[in-house]
């Protein structure tokens, strides 16, 4: 009961302040965080962790797609 009582006060403060709870945009992460950004557009629980992994994945995907395009259009690939 003491544990639940300790959780109720912060929960009531969240509801009263109307701040936004959000889930991390990383599919492998299950964290929920308080989005206190100006426009409520924060995507990850931690920009240095989950955010960095997402940016790195996008970069690798773009780089890989670019390499495949270059390989397909090179003269060596045709011959």
């Amino acid at each position: 009961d003491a544990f639940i009582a300790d959780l109720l006060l912060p929960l009531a403060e969240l509801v009263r302040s109307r701040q936004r709870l959000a889930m991390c945009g990383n599919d492998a992460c299950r964290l929920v965080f308080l989005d206190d950004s100006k426009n409520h557009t924060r995507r990850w629980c931690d920009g240095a962790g989950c955010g960095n992994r997402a940016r790195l994945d996008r970069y690798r995907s773009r780089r890989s797609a670019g390499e495949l395009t270059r390989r397909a259009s090179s003269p060596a690939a045709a011959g």
Side-chain angles (χ1 to χ4, degrees), residues 8-63:
L8 287 178
L9 182 60
L11 182 60
E13 289 176 7
L14 280 173
V15 170
R16 184 176 54 228
S17 67
R18 296 181 187 202
Q19 291 181 341
R20 187 173 145 190
L21 289 176
M23 293 191 68
C24 184
N26 179 0
D27 293 334
C29 181
R30 296 178 179 225
L31 292 180
V32 175
F33 62 91
L34 180 63
D35 183 359
D36 56 358
S37 63
K38 183 177 179 180
N39 295 326
H40 300 290
T41 56
R42 190 169 147 195
R43 295 173 59 187
W44 304 290
C45 62
D46 179 34
C50 289
N52 187 51
R53 279 189 285 278
R55 289 186 291 271
L56 182 60
D57 288 345
R58 275 198 321 263
Y59 167 77
R60 287 179 176 163
S61 176
R62 284 192 314 266
R63 188 180 72 184

Side-chain angles (χ1 to χ4, degrees), residues 63-76:
R63 188 180 72 184
S64 176
E67 287 177 3
L68 291 175
T69 303
R70 282 192 301 269
R71 285 184 198 156
S73 63
S74 70

